Amino acid sequence: MEKLPHILLVDDDDTTNFIHETLLTKLQVSHDIRVATSGEQALELLTQQPPYVPTLLLLDLAMPGMGGIAFLEAYQRLPQAQQDATKVIVLTTSMDSRDLERIDDLPIAGLASKPLNREKIDTLLRLHFQRQLPAE
């Protein structure tokens, strides 16, 4: 499988980040996996010079400070070409109906439940990148 150039994990939970980063590395999904533990930290990465442009951004909604929805609202102000180069997938353990309504108008490619596993990653790759993990 052709690897994704860059993946950004945005989650305030260190254990979740460790699990997801380990799994993505083990499955050889990307050469470059970075972690941001807040929406603010993710925005700093995306707006640095030169900007970091992940191919896939996995975003938690429930974070202290700038949560996922506030991050997505700020993300919409980034250059359109940068937004177009990134698929944003919202990761969550439970979806509040109010959050679902709010993200309808925000720039996300899809939703997935946490934690990620091999099957969920394979589905994301198939749906959004026309790739699949090799058979086990």
Side-chain angles (χ1 to χ4, degrees), residues 50-65:
Y52 175 68
V53 182
T55 316
L56 174 62
L57 191 153
L58 298 168
L59 176 68
D60 182 32
L61 283 186
M63 295 183 286

Side-chain angles (χ1 to χ4, degrees), residues 58-76:
L58 298 168
L59 176 68
D60 182 32
L61 283 186
M63 295 183 286
M66 177 184 277
I69 290 175
F71 167 83
L72 287 167
E73 289 167 345
Y75 179 83
Q76 287 182 296

Side-chain angles (χ1 to χ4, degrees), residues 85-99:
T86 302
K87 298 283 186 197
V88 178
I89 305 296
V90 169
L91 298 180
T92 186
T93 50
S94 65
M95 286 301 289
D96 182 305
S97 60
R98 292 169 299 198
D99 287 342

Side-chain angles (χ1 to χ4, degrees), residues 14-30:
D14 291 333
T15 302
T16 299
N17 285 327
F18 176 78
I19 291 167
H20 289 164
E21 185 175 13
T22 301
L23 181 62
L24 290 163
T25 300
K26 178 183 169 202
L27 295 173
Q28 299 180 28
V29 176
S30 178

